[in-house]
Amino acid sequence: MPTSFSTTALTMIGLMAIATPALANGSKFSLTMEHRLVHGKKNGVVHSLDRGVLTISGQLWVTRCAPGATGPSSVTVEVWEDGILDHSLCSFAVIPSKKLGEKVSFSTTCQSVSKSSFFVVAWKVEDDGCDIQSDGTLTTK
C-alpha cells in the first residue's frame, strides 16, 4: 500500500505534467546584408520546424554606411517554405535606425504550417550604401 508521501508525490508529478505548456520548436537565424539581398536558401541556410503557427522575431541594425550613402532604407523580411515550388508565408518591412548599431526589434506571426523546412529572405529596393545585420528566431507553437 503506497504511503501518503508517495501518493502526494505522484499526484504532484501528474499535475505538473498536465500543466506544462507545449514547448515551441525554434531555429535561430542571422544574416549580414552588404548589398540589397540575402537569400537563405541560396546561401544554404534552411530551417526545419515542426507543425504549428510560424512566428519570426528578432532584431535588425545598421553596421556601416559608406560616405554618401542614401540609406538606411527599409528592409523587407520574408519567410518562405522550402519545396519543389517555394512559396512565401509572410512578408513585412523593418525600418532600421539611422544610428549605427541601434537595434530595432520585430516580430510577426506568419501562419499555420505543417512540419517542413523554411528559409529567410531579406531585401532592399536598392543598394543604399548601408550594411545591415539581423538575428532572430523562427518558431512554431
Side-chain angles (χ1 to χ4, degrees):
M1 176 171 222
T3 65
S4 65
F5 173 76
S6 60
T7 303
T8 303
L10 287 174
T11 302
M12 289 181 68
I13 291 170
L15 288 174
M16 286 177 10
I18 293 169
T20 303
L23 297 176
N25 176 38
S27 183
K28 294 184 183 289
F29 71 89
S30 64
L31 61 89
T32 300
M33 181 184 296
E34 294 178 344
H35 298 288
R36 60 171 296 271
L37 174 68
V38 176
H39 194 289
K41 184 175 181 178
K42 290 181 181 176
N43 291 332
V45 182
V46 178
H47 307 270
S48 295
L49 297 171
D50 290 334
R51 173 185 171 179
V53 177
L54 178 64
T55 299
I56 180 172
S57 58
Q59 47 197 0
L60 181 140
W61 63 98
V62 177
T63 57
R64 183 188 74 84
C65 283
T70 59
S73 301
S74 177
V75 177
T76 299
V77 179
E78 302 173 343
V79 180
W80 287 71
E81 184 170 15
D82 184 25
I84 296 170
L85 298 174
D86 299 340
H87 67 278
S88 177
L89 299 171
C90 63
S91 177
F92 57 95
V94 181
I95 300 172
S97 171
K98 293 183 187 295
K99 200 183 270 189
L100 289 180
E102 185 172 85
K103 296 180 178 183
V104 174
S105 296
F106 59 83
S107 182
T108 298
T109 300
C110 297
Q111 57 183 279
S112 291
V113 295
S114 300
K115 181 176 181 175
S116 189
S117 296
F118 308 92
F119 58 92
V120 177
V121 175
W123 56 274
K124 299 184 276 189
V125 173
E126 63 183 3
D127 186 358
D128 60 8
C130 293
D131 296 346
I132 302 288
Q133 282 193 305
S134 180
D135 61 26
T137 308
L138 293 170
T139 56
T140 54
K141 289 185 185 178

